[in-house]
Amino acid sequence: MAQDTRSTASPFKRLFFALPVSDAQRRDVSQWRRSLALRSGRPVPAANFHITLAFLGNVDAAQVPSVCAAVDQLLLPDKAPRLVLDRLQVWHRAGALVLEAQHTPAPLLQLVYGLQQALLPLGIAVADRTFRPHLTLSRDFHGQPPEASTPPEFFVSARECVLYESRKGAYQPLARWALGDGGAFISPLGSHR
């Protein structure tokens, strides 16, 4: 395990790239989750629903502009990848109840790989795990997946990739990039240029 060599005085941000979930999708997933009548775990607030692409962990705040510039150089998908969250699973090791995608579109895999490669020159190594697109429904979950009266089938059209900062249990978007229509940079939500 790598040690954190930054000075303790150096400000940092806990960052990750993700696909946001629309308000309508949040409502639908939240309503479906309620129908499960969960008796274990801590439900993730619907406002925090997302699909993680790459978790960066603690990054020096001064590196955020370089992270954004690296993503600006990526060849992003020219069509918005469409993902179907259609399997309810428990990730026992993580203690999480998740909605997973049985199939991952190739453009989404390419995006994840591109993000990983773009960050390497900055000294930011993304955890070396197989990408499993998912949406976390509940943390500290133990036991088997609950029975669902309606099977899950939630369609996520990945129209943008967002760099988020995790701060005090809330996720703040720092920058966004369009997926589809040329993959243009949408907005910095804070200056990085």
Side-chain angles (χ1 to χ4, degrees):
M1 178 183 250
Q3 288 188 328
D4 187 351
T5 56
R6 291 181 316 228
S7 139
T8 55
S10 178
F12 67 89
K13 294 180 179 281
R14 191 166 178 81
L15 304 178
F16 63 95
F17 285 99
L19 303 177
V21 176
S22 73
D23 290 340
Q25 290 166 330
R26 285 186 182 119
R27 282 190 303 273
D28 291 347
V29 170
S30 187
Q31 182 177 10
W32 182 82
R33 178 180 61 185
R34 273 193 302 277
S35 77
L36 297 175
L38 299 179
R39 296 181 182 167
S40 175
R42 291 180 298 119
V44 170
N48 285 353
F49 286 166
H50 66 275
I51 297 160
T52 302
L53 299 172
F55 180 72
L56 283 60
N58 292 332
V59 175
D60 192 308
Q63 279 192 291
V64 172
S66 298
V67 168
C68 292
V71 178
D72 286 346
Q73 302 305 310
L74 278 180
L75 181 61
L76 298 172
D78 57 1
K79 282 184 144 181
R82 190 174 162 113
L83 185 67
V84 182
L85 299 172
D86 56 357
R87 183 166 53 188
L88 183 62
Q89 294 288 308
V90 175
W91 289 4
H92 293 284
R93 204 166 165 202
L97 179 68
V98 301
L99 280 172
E100 276 187 339
Q102 289 189 52
H103 304 287
T104 305
L108 203 51
L109 289 171
Q110 292 166 346
L111 174 60
V112 169
Y113 179 75
L115 289 169
Q116 292 170 345
Q117 296 306 303
L119 297 172
L120 282 177
L122 302 176
I124 300 171
V126 177
D128 187 22
R129 297 181 199 141
T130 302
F131 175 61
R132 293 169 61 189
H134 67 282
L135 183 148
T136 303
L137 295 171
S138 186
R139 300 190 189 288
D140 300 327
F141 189 91
H142 304 288
Q144 297 303 310
E147 291 291 324
S149 57
T150 306
E153 190 175 51
F154 297 98
F155 295 88
V156 177
S157 183
R159 292 196 169 99
E160 62 181 352
C161 170
V162 179
L163 175 64
Y164 286 100
E165 176 186 3
S166 176
R167 188 180 339 146
K168 297 181 181 179
Y171 304 144
Q172 293 295 125
L174 299 181
R176 302 174 185 271
W177 293 265
L179 302 178
D181 300 322
F185 180 74
I186 296 174
S187 69
L189 301 175
S191 180
H192 84 270
R193 293 188 185 250

